[in-house]
Amino acid sequence: MIHFKNNHSKTVFLLFGLLISCTAIFAQTEKRVEPKWWFGYSVAANINQYNGTTQMLNAATTVPTAFHKGKSVRPYASFLLEYRPNKVVGFMMNLAYDNRSAKFNQVMAPCNCPADLSTNLSYFSIEPSLRIAPFASAFYLFAGPTIGININKDFVYVQDKQVDQRGDFSDIRKTMLSAQAGAGIDIPLSKKSNTSQVTLSPFASFQTNLFQAPRTVETWDMYTIRAGLALKFGKVATAAPLKQTPAAPIETVRVVTVKEPNLAFSVRAPKIVPAERQVKEIFPLRNSVFFNMGSSDIPSRYVQLGKNESTNFKEAELQEQQPANLNNGRAARQLNVYYNILNIMGDRMRNNPNSSILLTGASDKNPTEGRLMAENIKQYLVNNYDIDPSRITTDGRDKPVIPSEQPGGTKQLDLLREGDRRVDITSTSSAMLLEVGGETSPFLKPVQIKTYQEDPLDTHVIFTNKGATELLNSWRVELKDEAGVVQNYGPYYLDQSSVSGKSILGNNASKNYQVTMFGTTKSGEIIQKESSVSVAKSESLKQEGLRYSILFDFDKSDAIAAYEKFLTDVVAPLIQDNGTAIIHGHTDIIGEEKYNHQLSHDRAVSTQVILERATNRLGRRNVKFEVYGFGADVSNAPFENKYPEERFYNRTVIIDIIPGN
């Protein structure tokens, strides 16, 4: 039986709770290089607990009063090896120095003298474990046997008014076989595309007292709670070994001919990398408030103002230059606007007294709760913005009018159901809605944002490797400048990827590069294709651009038709002669990677067709269209994928309009 004192059981739950909490923070939804073999080191603290009885220390020493309990914190260090053939199941091996020393609780000898007993008990430990990563994150569990080979067994007995006694315990088991279970989380320290990966892994484990009796006599046993850190290193091969012959001092790669469909490798360089670009962005306001599972309260991430604060709130304030701390990254700037959706609604209804809205709450199999969610939003608007209750109608449903979860679906239902737990805001008032495709538009009137765009897509070098998804396991690119300095990027797994022109150039103003693509086929052979690219930046050039976005429901690309009037009448006239329209499609992380990549590409191409037709009718000359489909690629995704609203906003086509020079 395993015996816990309350404080130690709390320690176990605290350690494991911290690891589980970290999972949400370090969740790895992005595509990351995943080595199969890992090695490294770990250090930890053993929190040792002694139970049972010991009195006869060896044949020469029996103490007058028995010792029963003890405890200590001692070091643990290991060399580790991990094998992960897939994302879920793997194997671990630790070869460790395992210190199980402790000091027994003080007792009183018959002479009424305090007595202490401590031991330096340590082992060489062999710990094979089964490793299971059950979630779509960096969190993992492990369990397995432990084999401890004793290397130290000495003791020190101290009794008041007596000479200290030192020696070795007798009857110590040379080998102890027991078990452990634990959990950890792998925190990446490397870029996701690096072929060499490093992770820092906090872990906690419990070494049971089952069979953990150090001696073959008496009843002394022990258990250990362990908490520590592991540093792990892994590497994947990106190419077959390069061959070298005496006649060829440089390394060569065997190039194979691939049957149709052939790879088509091309490189697009930015015309010039500007120092900065001020962007006027027309941001679509998603007409939904998403609620946490199990709660009908408005989530705290939505901005809720007090009555006095709401009196002074004006939507126009959100349209001005965003605060400096929101300039880094598209998601931060846009979500700052979106999370004010309740205040935007309140301000619009306050300024348009004839407007009204319908709040439709959806909660799976619980329309009553769905209506309660809607009522909570209504009360916020009534109490904080003095909106007449008669102007707000509420309703409750099992599912939204346009649900994400489809009948018969079995995959990623937790993410789909999060997206269906929401309150949708609809209105017949033009002051509330943007009429995209007619009066039935579901999207609220957009908000204009003025800000600076960092590292925009048109300043990237785009690598297109058409056919790679079908033909290759992975591919990488090598850039070599005139001085022979080499930069490597990858591995990549889809048909397209990009690298910031600014990061390629570093401190250089301009460079010419020889580009070599190395692809690994399904059979392990290496394909090599070459190109070249020139990249230049200007510290003086400061551009201004426009950005528009259109949104899609889950797994839909046919909604483009509803946007045709908006794209034709609003967006196309803004594209000037010699200008560039960069159209890039995206999806959320739900669904298969290959399917999402094609879906995003289809959305972007359909958008291009409408805009190209409209600019031709307008007589625009020398307009350049660039179209990309990035799927769920997190390196190019507009938003993260932690919350359902972020996933909804990632179902998008973004149109960047760059003026001609």
Side-chain angles (χ1 to χ4, degrees):
M1 177 179 288
I2 299 173
H3 300 283
F4 270 157
K5 285 180 66 174
N6 287 336
N7 60 332
H8 285 89
S9 61
K10 290 178 180 177
T11 302
V12 173
F13 287 113
L14 176 61
L15 291 172
F16 281 81
L18 286 173
L19 288 171
I20 294 171
S21 299
C22 288
T23 302
I25 300 174
F26 296 103
Q28 297 177 27
T29 57
E30 73 268 22
K31 181 74 174 180
R32 177 172 290 277
V33 172
E34 296 177 352
K36 290 186 177 181
W37 288 97
W38 296 77
F39 69 93
Y41 310 91
S42 72
V43 293
N46 279 344
I47 305 172
N48 300 317
Q49 179 72 35
Y50 287 177
N51 295 302
T53 299
T54 189
Q55 187 170 8
M56 185 198 74
L57 309 185
N58 56 33
T61 307
T62 299
V63 298
T65 304
F67 291 86
H68 298 286
K69 293 182 179 295
K71 59 185 177 181
S72 71
V73 178
R74 291 293 186 267
Y76 168 93
S78 80
F79 171 78
L80 63 89
L81 183 68
E82 290 189 11
Y83 175 59
R84 307 179 194 170
N86 57 60
K87 292 182 178 180
V88 178
V89 178
F91 303 92
M92 302 168 55
M93 173 65 78
N94 279 269
L95 303 177
Y97 168 73
D98 186 10
N99 193 310
R100 298 297 188 92
S101 305
K103 182 178 180 180
F104 286 86
N105 294 345
Q106 190 177 78
V107 298
M108 298 300 293
C111 62
N112 202 27
C113 305
D116 293 286
L117 176 62
S118 60
T119 174
N120 180 24
L121 189 66
S122 57
Y123 295 85
F124 171 70
S125 187
I126 303 170
E127 301 170 355
S129 298
L130 178 67
R131 182 188 192 276
I132 300 177
F135 311 115
S137 69
F139 180 75
Y140 63 91
L141 304 170
F142 61 91
T146 63
I147 304 169
I149 302 171
N150 181 257
I151 54 178
N152 283 304
K153 55 184 178 180
D154 54 288
F155 67 82
V156 177
Y157 176 73
V158 179
Q159 181 181 320
D160 197 18
K161 302 178 183 179
Q162 298 289 330
V163 177
D164 295 353
Q165 299 185 52
R166 302 174 184 272
D168 288 343
F169 278 104
S170 64
D171 304 294
I172 288 288
R173 299 180 193 272
K174 184 61 179 178
T175 302
M176 283 201 307
L177 177 64
S178 188
Q180 68 164 338
I185 179 169
D186 290 327
I187 303 172
L189 302 181
S190 308
K191 291 183 179 180
K192 65 184 180 64
S193 59
N194 283 2
T195 56
S196 295
Q197 290 287 308
V198 182
T199 63
L200 184 66
S201 305
F203 67 92
S205 63
F206 174 71
Q207 279 67 39
T208 175
N209 62 349
L210 185 66
F211 304 123
Q212 290 276 33
R215 306 177 69 192
T216 59
V217 297
E218 301 186 320
T219 61
W220 170 23
D221 67 23
M222 59 188 177
Y223 68 84
T224 296
I225 300 167
R226 182 176 298 154
L229 291 171
L231 187 63
K232 304 175 185 177
F233 305 87
K235 184 175 177 63
V236 295
T238 58
L242 302 177
K243 298 179 181 179
Q244 189 172 21
T245 65
I250 60 172
E251 295 177 324
T252 60
V253 178
R254 183 168 64 91
V255 181
V256 299
T257 301
V258 180
K259 296 180 180 179
E260 291 293 338
N262 289 326
L263 288 172
F265 179 69
S266 61
V267 183
R268 188 226 70 175
K271 188 172 183 180
I272 198 164
V273 180
E276 60 183 29
R277 176 179 295 142
Q278 186 172 2
V279 176
K280 183 188 295 181
E281 179 168 5
I282 309 304
F283 176 59
L285 200 59
R286 177 75 204 188
N287 66 318
S288 303
V289 177
F290 296 87
F291 282 70
N292 296 331
M293 301 299 289
S295 174
S296 58
D297 295 332
I298 300 171
S300 59
R301 60 185 182 272
Y302 290 90
V303 179
Q304 299 175 63
L305 303 177
K307 190 170 181 62
N308 292 335
E309 295 174 304
S310 62
T311 302
N312 299 320
F313 176 84
K314 291 180 173 54
E315 178 183 341
E317 296 174 357
L318 297 173
Q319 300 178 355
E320 299 303 320
Q321 184 76 37
Q322 296 291 294
N325 64 343
L326 293 178
N327 282 338
N328 295 324
R330 169 175 160 79
R333 293 182 281 111
Q334 271 70 2
L335 288 180
N336 179 55
V337 173
Y338 167 75
Y339 284 137
N340 272 283
I341 184 171
L342 300 180
N343 301 311
I344 293 171
M345 288 296 97
D347 188 39
R348 290 180 181 178
M349 295 189 76
R350 185 169 56 193
N351 296 331
N352 299 275
N354 294 324
S355 64
S356 61
I357 60 174
L358 169 63
L359 303 175
T360 305
S363 177
D364 189 27
K365 300 178 182 178
N366 193 345
T368 302
E369 186 182 26
R371 183 159 191 162
L372 176 59
M373 290 153 52
E375 283 290 333
N376 286 337
I377 292 178
K378 176 178 179 178
Q379 290 306 310
Y380 176 79
L381 296 173
V382 170
N383 295 337
N384 294 63
Y385 284 87
D386 294 323
I387 307 301
D388 187 334
S390 64
R391 297 169 58 194
I392 305 175
T393 305
T394 61
D395 192 16
R397 300 173 55 93
D398 284 340
K399 294 287 184 184
V401 175
I402 304 178
S404 296
E405 183 183 359
Q406 300 298 315
T410 59
K411 297 181 178 180
Q412 296 174 293
L413 295 180
D414 53 340
L415 299 182
L416 294 172
R417 288 168 182 168
E418 281 184 2
D420 285 347
R421 185 176 175 79
R422 66 181 193 255
V423 172
D424 290 332
I425 306 168
T426 54
S427 175
T428 58
S429 170
S430 60
M432 310 296 289
L433 293 173
L434 170 68
E435 293 186 4
V436 178
E439 296 181 356
T440 59
S441 164
F443 299 116
L444 300 172
K445 186 177 179 181
V447 177
Q448 179 176 296
I449 303 172
K450 296 179 182 178
T451 189
Y452 286 96
Q453 187 178 2
E454 293 190 358
D455 214 15
L457 184 61
D458 62 292
T459 69
H460 284 214
V461 175
I462 306 289
F463 304 109
T464 301
N465 202 9
K466 191 172 182 181
T469 306
E470 296 291 339
L471 292 171
L472 303 179
N473 279 332
S474 66
W475 55 282
R476 63 180 178 90
V477 291
E478 177 186 278
L479 274 66
K480 181 185 293 185
D481 66 15
E482 301 99 320
V485 177
V486 173
Q487 300 180 56
N488 286 285
Y489 298 95
Y492 304 120
Y493 303 92
L494 300 176
D495 286 7
Q496 197 170 68
S497 195
S498 68
V499 179
S500 162
K502 187 183 297 185
S503 67
I504 290 175
L505 282 172
N507 296 325
N508 300 301
S510 64
K511 282 277 188 178
N512 298 316
Y513 298 92
Q514 181 71 30
V515 182
T516 306
M517 185 280 295
F518 296 98
T520 305
T521 68
K522 306 291 185 181
S523 60
E525 296 174 304
I526 303 301
I527 295 174
Q528 175 182 320
K529 288 183 176 290
E530 295 185 347
S531 184
S532 60
V533 68
S534 298
V535 186
K537 65 181 176 181
S538 171
E539 296 298 334
S540 60
L541 178 62
K542 296 185 178 181
Q543 292 181 329
E544 292 186 355
L546 296 171
R547 168 171 280 190
Y548 284 82
S549 303
I550 54 179
L551 303 178
F552 297 84
D553 288 310
F554 177 71
D555 198 27
K556 302 296 182 185
S557 62
D558 55 2
I560 288 288
Y563 287 107
E564 184 161 2
K565 179 177 173 60
F566 172 69
L567 294 170
T568 301
D569 296 348
V570 177
V571 180
L574 299 172
I575 304 174
Q576 301 300 314
D577 292 345
N578 304 309
T580 300
I582 302 174
I583 304 167
H584 39 113
H586 305 269
T587 70
D588 61 19
I589 58 171
I590 300 173
E592 297 295 331
E593 184 177 55
K594 180 179 176 182
Y595 178 85
N596 283 339
H597 186 259
Q598 187 63 49
L599 177 64
S600 67
H601 181 75
D602 292 344
R603 290 171 173 174
V605 169
S606 298
T607 303
Q608 180 210 358
V609 170
I610 295 172
L611 288 175
E612 193 166 18
R613 186 166 57 232
T615 53
N616 287 336
R617 284 201 298 263
L618 291 169
R620 299 290 191 260
R621 294 172 300 174
N622 301 321
V623 174
K624 183 179 180 182
F625 290 92
E626 296 184 6
V627 179
Y628 306 101
F630 289 107
D633 180 9
V634 296
S635 63
N636 289 295
F639 293 83
E640 296 181 14
N641 287 278
K642 179 180 179 182
Y643 293 115
E645 58 268 22
E646 293 174 321
R647 297 192 288 272
F648 269 68
Y649 269 116
N650 276 335
R651 302 166 189 167
T652 184
V653 166
I654 298 171
I655 305 146
D656 284 315
I657 301 174
I658 313 302
N661 295 323

